[in-house]
């Protein structure tokens, strides 16, 4: 077996046992299979740097995922997740996290510890407010929040100095804070389908310095 295994869309209801014994496996793609659950034995794949569990019908993620210390990409989008196990906070090397199209009512607390995150996708959930600790994710370059019901943005986001792309489509945002224009790296801001009749003043400031804004 090579160090990459792609089993996406095979109609699998269970993962073959030999997969959990594949020493040296670095990338495992199990997406688009009706698995329903992932066993704790996934924690044995300690060489994994990429794990794709999208569209697998899972309602929970096993805590053993926290043993995958080398993991850099985790895709658990398009599932039935409402929470993440505390052990996810141990994934200190994680750079890309896909949480979109799940049942999260808030950004999961374990995400707070993922200080290496460059990309966070949490679109199409049930998030009504962002926690102040989001400002602690200072490495973030891309943040996708489309399809949540966010009334306001916390001022703590002003600490996201590396943020280049912010997607707020269909979020119900009615007003934009002035600190948005102070984000030094912001290059793309998507505000479509939020009902803005006129561009908020901060949009002019962003565009004047070269940020692309969609309304």
């Amino acid at each position: 077996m090579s160090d990459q295994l792609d089993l996406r869309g095979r109609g699998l209801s269970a993962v073959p046992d030999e997969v959990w014994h594949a020493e040296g496996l670095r990338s495992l793609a199990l997406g688009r299979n009706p698995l329903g659950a992932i066993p704790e034995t996934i924690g044995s794949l300690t060489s994994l740097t990429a794990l794709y569990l999208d569209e697998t019908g899972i309602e929970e993620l096993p805590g053993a995922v926290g043993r995958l210390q080398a993991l850099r990409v985790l895709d658990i989008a398009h599932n039935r997740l409402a929470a993440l196990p505390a052990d996810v906070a141990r994934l200190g090397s994680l750079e890309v996290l896909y949480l979109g199209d799940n049942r999260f009512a808030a950004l999961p607390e374990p995400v707070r510890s993922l200080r290496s995150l460059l990309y966070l996708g949490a679109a199409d959930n049930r998030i009504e407010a962002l926690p102040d600790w989001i400002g602690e994710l200072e490495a973030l370059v891309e943040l996708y929040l489309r399809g949540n019901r966010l009334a306001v943005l916390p001022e703590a986001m002003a600490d996201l100095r590396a943020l280049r792309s912010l997607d707020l489509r269909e979020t119900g945002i009615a007003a934009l804070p002035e600190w948005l224009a102070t984000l030094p790296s912001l290059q793309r801001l998507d505000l479509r389908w939020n009902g803005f009749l006129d561009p908020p003043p901060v949009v002019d400031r962003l565009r004047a310095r070269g940020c692309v804004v969609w309304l």
Side-chain angles (χ1 to χ4, degrees):
M1 185 179 294
S2 73
D3 64 354
Q4 299 185 24
L5 181 59
D6 189 344
L7 296 175
R8 284 177 289 195
R10 304 289 183 89
L12 299 175
S13 58
V15 180
D17 285 341
E18 58 265 28
V19 172
W20 309 127
H21 303 287
E23 294 184 8
L25 191 63
R26 293 176 58 81
S27 178
L28 175 60
L30 296 172
R32 304 196 306 274
N33 285 296
L35 297 174
I38 302 296
E40 293 286 340
T41 44
I42 196 170
S44 65
L45 301 178
T46 54
S47 295
L48 278 184
T49 60
L51 176 59
Y52 303 92
L53 300 175
D54 51 301
E55 294 186 67
T56 51
I58 58 174
E59 296 185 5
E60 61 181 28
L61 194 66
V65 166
R67 295 174 54 194
L68 308 180
Q69 300 289 298
L71 206 63
R72 295 174 60 187
V73 178
L74 176 60
D75 187 350
I76 46 178
H78 310 295
N79 283 301
R80 302 170 185 171
L81 299 165
L84 293 181
D87 290 316
V88 166
R90 300 169 57 195
L91 300 178
S93 299
L94 200 65
E95 297 177 351
V96 176
L97 177 59
Y98 297 96
L99 299 176
D101 189 23
N102 274 288
R103 299 176 179 177
F104 296 109
L107 278 182
E109 179 70 23
V111 174
R112 183 176 188 172
S113 299
L114 306 180
R115 302 301 174 84
S116 296
L117 270 188
L118 302 175
Y119 177 105
L120 176 57
D124 299 315
N125 276 283
R126 303 171 181 178
I127 300 170
E128 296 185 356
L130 297 174
D132 283 338
W133 55 253
I134 195 171
E136 299 171 18
L137 303 178
E138 295 181 351
L140 267 187
V141 173
E142 299 183 60
L143 177 58
Y144 292 85
L145 297 166
R146 175 182 179 174
N148 290 289
R149 305 309 302 169
L150 303 173
V152 297
L153 300 177
E155 189 171 354
M157 287 180 64
D159 293 330
L160 300 179
R161 312 289 288 176
L163 194 66
R164 296 180 189 171
S165 183
L166 177 59
D167 187 345
L168 296 171
R169 286 176 289 174
E170 296 182 284
T171 54
I173 292 285
L176 296 179
E178 289 298 313
W179 54 256
L180 264 180
T182 71
L183 292 176
S185 302
L186 195 62
Q187 299 174 3
R188 296 179 297 276
L189 175 62
D190 201 334
L191 299 167
R192 287 175 288 180
W193 310 308
N194 278 306
F196 287 110
L197 297 179
D198 298 299
V202 70
V203 169
D204 290 336
R205 293 174 58 194
L206 285 165
R207 285 174 170 168
R209 66 171 178 79
C211 180
V212 177
V213 182
W214 292 276
L215 284 170

